[in-house]
Amino acid sequence: MAKIPHKWLVLFSVLLGTFTIILNNSMMNPAVPQFMNVFDADAVATGWVITIFMVTMGITMPLTGYLGDKVGKKNLYLFGVGLFILGSVLGSFSWNLSSLIAFRGLQGVGGGFIMPLSLVFIFEVFPKKERGMAMGVWGVAAMMAPTIGPTLGGVIIELGTWQWLFLCNIPTGVLGFLFSAYFLDKSKPNTQITFDAKGFITVTLGVGAVLLALGRINELAHLTDPFNITLIVVGLLSLIVFVRIENRTEQPLLDLSIFKVKAYAISVWIAIISSISLFGGIFLIPLLVQNVYGYGAIMTGLVFLPSALFMGLCMTIGGRILDRRGPTGVVTVGLTVSFIGTAAFGFISMETALWMLFFLNAVRGIGMGFSMMPSTTTGMNAIPETMISRGSAMNNVLRQMSSALGVVFMSVYFEVRRAQVMAANGMTVEESSLQAITEGFLVISVLMLISIPAGWFLGREAKKQEEAELRKEAEAKKA
């Protein structure tokens, strides 16, 4: 048998860690009612099981660039995987809700190191012309896990006990740790780098406060909660101070100058809109299948299946197209298809056949598969190699925040509009829920529509940069 190239072993190693983390987090959502019963707690307290992971992961990500340079990227990655495994083991032994939340927080810290560094290792071993294909394969794990996780979590809760939600992480986590320990290349620590303490304090406070507020909001009343308002104000002010500090610091925690690279800035915008669309749909579709059409959790999972399968397939195909022809066509087509699939959800009715939901979700999956990873890869290719770890951290932080924002916006919109429609038109709960859901999809589709030109702009900027690099190489040869 032919020897597997080292770069593919690196990709498989980080893919194991990525898939385990994202799958575990998405499996927890259907388990919240079970935790309420087991620990005799209300929905607000139990919601911390989900919120704490999001918050600790978000505030850890900005540190990966500095710590990766300081202690070595491989050492930090293995530490993150080890923390996640430890959190999983301890989580299965949780004796009360507080201990469960603490161990979920530990998992989040581990995940915060793993996610950004996964991209860094891929970009280190794959040349630019092969990164699209590699990121397509990695994206299968990153984007399929949120769609199949709720179904798998529901099955585990129905057929087993909640402890298995933690224990099922251990085999793939340990395998990922062993593969990573053997195949990832060690980087030499940079002892000269200094720690940006002011930047760390402000970004941690800013990201943590905003994510905490978003995690606490799932209905209109929560928007007027003084504590949530305080969190959002403090978080936004801290982020403004953070930007001012980073622009004046010689060795910033997150180098914001990367946003001057237009291709990277455009790719981040596409990532934000795509994340809002993806997670907004993940929130709305279960409501549509269960609350409107009256099916169970298993059917909900099956409706997500075509999206997951086509997204994974098209990420791989889209990556190959990116490597051969650049981002213009594949990203623009992907954004257009995503818009069509999302907008079509806005016109379904009580008589719509179930197969149409499968079809439309598949269309959304195709569009996101062609647009998300190719645009991210193009943006990361555009920044200097020395800034890959910080660029990856920035990308992941903004994805995390926009995903939470998508869920919060859709949940509040759904609650408000359903109540308004019921009061004004005397509709049934199912009919009013349907109208709120379809309007929600139309709102998302408008965001998708105005983002379609970003695919063309991204391709133009990437082409400009490639031509500039070729000119530099030609001048260097002449010299």
Side-chain angles (χ1 to χ4, degrees):
M1 186 176 74
K3 185 179 179 182
I4 301 174
H6 174 70
K7 59 188 177 184
W8 288 106
L9 293 171
V10 169
L11 175 60
F12 180 71
S13 300
V14 297
L15 190 147
L16 279 171
T18 301
F19 186 78
T20 302
I21 289 167
I22 301 177
L23 183 68
N24 172 254
N25 193 39
S26 59
M27 283 195 304
M28 288 292 166
N29 290 293
V32 169
Q34 178 84 349
F35 292 139
M36 290 171 65
N37 293 330
V38 171
F39 298 112
D40 191 24
D42 59 27
V44 174
T46 311
W48 276 94
V49 174
I50 308 299
T51 303
I52 194 66
F53 184 92
M54 178 175 66
V55 172
T56 54
M57 191 173 181
I59 63 177
T60 303
M61 283 177 177
L63 281 171
T64 54
Y66 165 77
L67 290 178
D69 292 338
K70 189 72 175 178
V71 303
K73 298 180 184 69
K74 179 177 180 178
N75 293 335
L76 184 62
Y77 183 85
L78 291 176
F79 177 70
V81 176
L83 271 185
F84 187 82
I85 295 171
L86 178 62
S88 299
V89 173
L90 294 175
S92 67
F93 290 103
S94 299
W95 55 91
N96 57 25
L97 186 60
S98 297
S99 62
L100 180 66
I101 292 170
F103 298 142
R104 281 283 290 160
L106 191 63
Q107 285 184 313
V109 173
F113 291 134
I114 294 169
M115 289 297 294
L117 289 174
S118 296
L119 299 186
V120 176
F121 287 117
I122 293 171
F123 274 65
E124 283 182 348
V125 296
F126 282 89
K128 278 191 176 183
K129 288 297 183 182
E130 295 180 12
R131 288 174 181 171
M133 176 178 58
M135 287 289 286
V137 175
W138 180 85
V140 173
M143 298 305 162
M144 282 182 66
T147 58
I148 64 176
T151 306
L152 184 57
V155 170
I156 289 174
I157 288 297
E158 280 193 26
L159 303 181
T161 63
W162 64 268
Q163 285 88 349
W164 284 102
L165 294 171
F166 291 91
L167 294 173
C168 67
N169 302 322
I170 297 173
T172 51
V174 170
L175 193 61
F177 184 91
L178 294 175
F179 267 78
S180 300
Y182 191 77
F183 292 114
L184 296 186
D185 296 323
K186 269 202 167 186
S187 58
K188 189 176 180 181
N190 181 1
T191 56
Q192 304 301 315
I193 192 170
T194 59
F195 183 58
D196 175 17
K198 292 180 181 177
F200 169 69
I201 293 170
T202 51
V203 75
T204 300
L205 184 59
V207 172
V210 171
L211 286 176
L212 180 55
L214 293 177
R216 287 169 48 87
I217 298 171
N218 53 36
E219 58 184 58
L220 183 60
H222 294 162
L223 283 175
T224 57
D225 184 317
F227 184 61
N228 290 338
I229 294 173
T230 302
L231 284 174
I232 292 173
V233 171
V234 170
L236 292 177
L237 289 176
S238 297
L239 290 175
I240 292 171
V241 174
F242 168 72
V243 170
R244 294 176 65 87
I245 289 172
E246 297 306 274
N247 287 333
R248 297 198 302 261
T249 303
E250 188 175 339
Q251 292 188 20
L253 188 69
L254 290 175
D255 194 338
L256 302 181
S257 66
I258 55 177
F259 285 108
K260 294 178 181 177
V261 180
K262 291 182 181 179
Y264 178 80
I266 295 168
S267 74
V268 168
W269 169 257
I270 295 174
I272 289 171
I273 298 302
S274 298
S275 295
I276 291 173
S277 176
L278 175 64
F279 283 88
I282 288 174
F283 173 80
L284 290 174
I285 288 173
L287 293 175
L288 179 65
V289 175
Q290 296 178 42
N291 294 16
V292 176
Y293 295 120
Y295 293 98
I298 292 178
M299 183 57 72
T300 302
L302 292 175
V303 170
F304 276 117
L305 191 58
S307 174
L309 293 174
F310 279 101
M311 193 184 299
L313 176 64
C314 292
M315 277 183 180
T316 307
I317 296 172
R320 290 179 177 273
I321 295 173
L322 172 67
D323 290 337
R324 294 175 183 174
R325 302 193 176 186
T328 306
V330 66
V331 175
T332 305
V333 168
L335 290 170
T336 304
V337 173
S338 293
F339 159 71
I340 292 170
T342 303
F345 266 107
F347 296 96
I348 60 177
S349 67
M350 295 295 294
E351 290 74 38
T352 300
L354 184 63
W355 67 265
M356 181 58 71
L357 304 186
F358 281 81
F359 174 74
L360 294 181
N361 223 18
V363 172
R364 274 170 50 87
I366 290 169
M368 290 183 185
F370 280 133
S371 60
M372 291 182 77
M373 282 301 111
S375 61
T376 296
T377 305
T378 302
M380 296 286 286
N381 276 339
I383 60 179
E385 297 290 327
T386 55
M387 298 173 69
I388 290 293
S389 59
R390 283 168 170 75
S392 177
M394 182 75 74
N395 186 287
N396 276 277
V397 168
L398 292 173
R399 278 182 187 272
Q400 188 86 350
M401 296 179 73
S402 55
S403 300
L405 181 62
V407 172
V408 168
F409 178 77
M410 283 299 107
S411 61
V412 172
Y413 187 89
F414 173 76
E415 184 211 353
V416 172
R417 278 300 291 158
R418 183 177 65 168
Q420 287 177 344
V421 171
M422 284 182 69
N425 303 321
M427 292 182 175
T428 65
V429 174
E430 290 79 9
E431 290 171 336
S432 56
S433 295
L434 177 64
Q435 183 164 334
I437 290 167
T438 54
E439 288 179 5
F441 274 111
L442 289 175
V443 171
I444 296 174
S445 70
V446 171
L447 291 175
M448 300 296 296
L449 178 62
I450 63 177
S451 298
I452 290 174
W456 182 82
F457 286 117
L458 180 65
R460 187 184 68 174
E461 294 301 326
K463 189 174 181 180
K464 280 183 183 178
Q465 184 160 352
E466 187 176 351
E467 290 173 351
E469 289 175 357
L470 289 174
R471 283 197 299 270
K472 284 183 181 178
E473 287 178 8
E475 290 171 0
K477 287 179 181 178
K478 287 180 182 178

